[in-house]
Amino acid sequence: VTRRVELERVQFHGDESEEDIELVDYPVIKAVRGADREAAELYPGSLLLLDHPTQGGGQGQAWNWTEAAELIHEGYDLILAGGLTPENVGAALEQLGEALPWGVDVATGVEIDGEVRKDPKRMIAFVEAVRSTDGPEHHETDD
């Protein structure tokens, strides 16, 4: 697949080892449960997607996102995930203070109630909530 499709990054959500990750010739996003320092240390150079510490990915469960701030201060590039919605993503980012993550991840938080389909209005609200938390100096474009 990687020879046929132009990729920028590869994202892993399983029990891949550090050796498995090193076999990939692309920048990697590695999902880990919570702000787990030991897990972060296993994947040096990977962009870490921090999901719920016990529920894992795809469950839409919120957690104490402030735990990510320490890893960000230590120089880890993180994507904040797990239970983020248009209603709470701004508060989650504000709880991190000056320690802004590399990005945020949303799936179930913008879905239409009980469906896998994404709601365009919730998607727009999510982006607007994220943009309202970081200053205008961080925006490259407004579109």
Side-chain angles (χ1 to χ4, degrees):
V1 171
T2 60
R3 285 178 266 165
R4 295 181 182 175
V5 178
E6 189 174 324
L7 300 173
E8 290 184 26
R9 293 184 188 275
V10 178
Q11 185 167 323
F12 291 97
H13 278 268
D15 295 323
E16 300 84 11
S17 68
E18 181 181 351
E19 293 78 23
D20 293 335
I21 299 294
E22 289 176 0
L23 292 174
V24 177
D25 280 339
Y26 291 94
V28 167
I29 298 171
K30 176 63 180 122
V32 297
R33 292 182 179 220
D36 182 342
R37 177 173 282 100
E38 287 182 31
E41 291 171 355
L42 286 177
Y43 305 102
S46 293
L47 180 55
L48 301 174
L49 185 143
L50 303 188
D51 214 329
H52 192 282
T54 59
Q55 297 297 316
Q59 304 297 312
Q61 298 293 313
W63 59 288
N64 185 2
W65 301 292
T66 59
E67 296 173 5
E70 191 172 326
L71 288 178
I72 294 170
H73 284 299
E74 291 177 16
Y76 289 97
D77 290 328
L78 309 176
I79 298 173
L80 200 60
L84 294 172
T85 67
E87 295 79 23
N88 69 15
V89 67
L93 292 171
E94 288 174 7
Q95 289 172 15
L96 296 178
E98 296 297 316
L100 290 177
W102 187 88
V104 291
D105 177 88
V106 66
T108 57
V110 294
E111 290 176 354
I112 296 171
D113 290 332
E115 298 184 30
V116 180
R117 284 187 316 134
K118 305 303 181 223
D119 181 345
K121 290 178 183 173
R122 289 189 60 73
M123 291 170 57
I124 290 168
F126 187 89
V127 171
E128 288 174 350
V130 170
R131 286 185 172 176
S132 72
T133 61
D134 70 13
E137 68 276 5
H138 294 100
H139 300 297
E140 292 180 23
T141 66
D142 285 327
D143 52 13

